[in-house]
Amino acid sequence: MAKERRRAVLELLQRPGNERCADCGAPDPDWASYTLGVFICLSCSGIHRNIPQVSKVKSIRLDAWDEAQVEFMASHGNDASRAKFESKVPSFYYRPTLSDCQLLREQWIRAKYERQEFIYPEKQEPYSAGYREGFLWKRGRDNGQFLSRKFVLTEREGALKYFNRNDAKEPKAVMKIEHLNATFQPAKIGHPHGLQVTYLKDNSTRNIFIYHEDGKEIVDWFNALRAARFHYLQVAFPGASDADLVPKLSRNYLKEGYMEKTGPKQTEGFRKRWFTMDDRRLMYFKDPLDAFARGEVFIGSKESGYTVLRGLPPSTQGHHWPHGITIVTPDRKFLFACETESDQREWVAAFQKAVDRPMLPQEYAVEAHFKHKP
């Protein structure tokens, strides 16, 4: 009997919707919540275990199932759960995937089943009201210390601001929603709730690094920033559909890591730098947590004369790392060296992706600005 019940649960995985994790979309879920009636992956099952008052989990293949539990799973399933617990997810709200950090996946699961934010829209107020203020730990630009700073997000002014003192009349920085990006970077920042916010200052990218001890708070900030971007873009592109706008709300970097680079004359030595590929901007920093990039390279499309080559010109000297990459632009060549072949392969793939994609009209304006940089 026990075997038959387990087989009955396994057969439910064949139903449409059940073949992927209900929470992060990972294929072939091996676990199930028998109180919610959803099939989930191993990683999400660990998060469900932390909310036992809402969800109780079992292994589909290894645990014993009783008749009532099998029937419950059969009468529910992932599609039915989605219809209930995700019925009112705002367009701008970030839905994490299996590649996202633990924090985003945990808060999504808690928001759905524990707080039921997408059944009762009034619970969405912290990130959908168009205004948010509070204190966040911000990394100091010069000394690297995290200090408590007051942040204010106002859609009406189209800006995120922060203040160095509680009683300060003027903000230390005003970040325009138009050019703002936010991406979780727990490993880089050294905190599981670490968020990197970038904005343009005098057309150069500026980074700030923030966190909050409370996971819900920082994810609410993240979604409030996405909401502000969404409403800004709806006004800027009145004809665009939600599906067109949602991918533009926040970006994860295409690739980050160390490479060596040399200067424009290619005669000075190669120096190790931290590189971040953000859309078509390749930025390099002395340290991963620097506020400003040391330099930026625009990577256009092949139609505009950009090429990516594996290896370095034969005469190149001075690099310590063996795996070279050459980026040819209409103006000059950029030479990089990677420590491992897999690094080289990943960077080449990231660059190639940009080169293969035709340029958008607004990207020509960005390219023109790069050409006039001192």
Side-chain angles (χ1 to χ4, degrees):
M1 280 300 284
K3 258 187 178 169
E4 282 171 27
R5 287 197 292 268
R6 199 176 290 138
R7 192 180 304 124
V9 178
L10 276 167
E11 281 172 8
L12 293 174
L13 287 174
Q14 309 307 314
R15 287 193 188 170
N18 292 348
E19 75 285 354
R20 289 187 169 274
C21 172
D23 297 323
C24 75
D28 308 318
D30 255 343
W31 290 76
S33 165
Y34 60 90
T35 52
L36 293 168
V38 292
F39 294 91
I40 52 180
C41 69
L42 172 65
S43 182
C44 289
S45 77
I47 298 169
H48 278 252
R49 269 209 189 83
N50 292 335
I51 44 171
Q53 68 282 15
V54 176
S55 182
K56 293 196 165 33
V57 298
K58 278 189 172 193
S59 162
I60 295 169
R61 290 178 166 79
L62 303 175
D63 289 329
W65 288 80
D66 65 39
E67 202 59 53
Q69 290 166 348
V70 176
E71 283 173 16
F72 186 79
M73 294 305 297
S75 63
H76 289 75
N78 291 3
D79 284 353
S81 160
R82 220 167 267 130
K84 177 183 177 182
F85 291 105
E86 298 181 25
S87 64
K88 296 184 170 70
V89 182
S91 303
F92 60 77
Y93 194 96
Y94 188 79
R95 295 167 176 260
T97 65
L98 70 159
S99 59
D100 280 302
C101 64
Q102 171 83 4
L103 171 72
L104 275 170
R105 289 183 295 116
E106 179 183 352
Q107 289 304 320
W108 166 240
I109 288 167
R110 287 184 180 274
K112 273 205 291 188
Y113 306 118
E114 185 183 38
R115 301 192 289 267
Q116 300 194 349
E117 288 176 19
F118 313 125
I119 298 176
Y120 306 107
E122 63 273 16
K123 294 188 173 187
Q124 299 169 12
E125 210 254 347
Y127 45 81
S128 57
Y131 181 87
R132 185 178 169 89
E133 65 172 74
F135 286 88
L136 295 167
W137 292 99
K138 177 192 168 290
R139 187 179 190 273
R141 191 175 103 189
D142 301 320
N143 59 9
Q145 263 186 310
F146 280 89
L147 297 167
S148 180
R149 293 286 179 255
K150 181 183 172 184
F151 280 78
V152 175
L153 171 66
T154 156
E155 285 191 17
R156 196 168 47 82
E157 293 175 38
L160 172 68
K161 304 184 275 194
Y162 78 86
F163 299 81
N164 264 1
R165 290 194 325 278
N166 297 355
D167 57 353
K169 295 278 181 284
E170 291 303 313
K172 179 79 171 77
V174 177
M175 301 163 244
K176 286 283 178 211
I177 295 296
E178 179 185 357
H179 300 301
L180 198 81
N181 185 41
T183 174
F184 279 99
Q185 295 275 19
K188 189 157 92 174
I189 293 170
H191 191 284
H193 304 164
L195 187 69
Q196 178 172 350
V197 176
T198 58
Y199 62 101
L200 286 182
K201 186 176 179 182
D202 308 325
N203 226 341
S204 287
T205 305
R206 165 88 157 90
N207 297 318
I208 62 166
F209 302 96
I210 53 179
Y211 71 85
H212 194 289
E213 280 101 347
D214 185 307
K216 178 187 185 299
E217 282 287 314
I218 195 73
V219 174
D220 282 351
W221 270 104
F222 176 63
N223 280 304
L225 291 172
R226 284 176 58 89
R229 293 258 315 143
F230 184 59
H231 299 137
Y232 162 77
L233 290 168
Q234 281 180 315
V235 174
F237 303 99
S241 69
D242 288 5
D244 291 332
L245 299 181
V246 166
K248 298 184 169 68
L249 303 186
S250 62
R251 312 178 296 282
N252 291 331
Y253 299 131
L254 301 179
K255 171 120 181 88
E256 284 197 294
Y258 283 106
M259 288 193 290
E260 293 182 327
K261 68 165 287 292
T262 183
K265 296 194 180 68
Q266 292 158 17
T267 50
E268 56 260 59
F270 277 71
R271 290 202 174 94
K272 181 177 160 184
R273 294 287 181 255
W274 177 265
F275 283 83
T276 297
M277 177 81 173
D278 182 13
D279 203 28
R280 290 193 185 275
R281 282 177 188 254
L282 177 65
M283 298 169 277
Y284 54 92
F285 305 85
K286 197 166 183 183
D287 181 272
L289 296 174
D290 282 348
F292 291 98
R294 288 294 175 101
E296 304 189 34
V297 179
F298 181 85
I299 299 182
S301 64
K302 54 187 174 210
E303 292 81 4
S304 304
Y306 292 80
T307 327
V308 183
L309 306 168
R310 205 176 272 248
L312 297 168
S315 57
T316 312
Q317 290 176 330
H319 51 101
H320 307 100
W321 287 348
H323 305 281
I325 301 174
T326 303
I327 295 181
V328 183
T329 78
D331 299 328
R332 59 168 277 202
K333 285 179 179 168
F334 291 90
L335 309 184
F336 308 105
C338 304
E339 190 173 15
T340 66
E341 205 173 329
S342 67
D343 270 353
Q344 179 197 44
R345 199 167 41 244
E346 286 169 20
W347 277 112
V348 167
F351 297 148
Q352 198 60 54
K353 215 170 172 177
V355 167
D356 288 344
R357 198 175 76 230
M359 268 165 56
L360 301 167
Q362 58 268 37
E363 290 177 328
Y364 285 101
V366 178
E367 181 190 39
H369 168 78
F370 270 79
K371 286 187 171 164
H372 296 124
K373 266 194 170 176

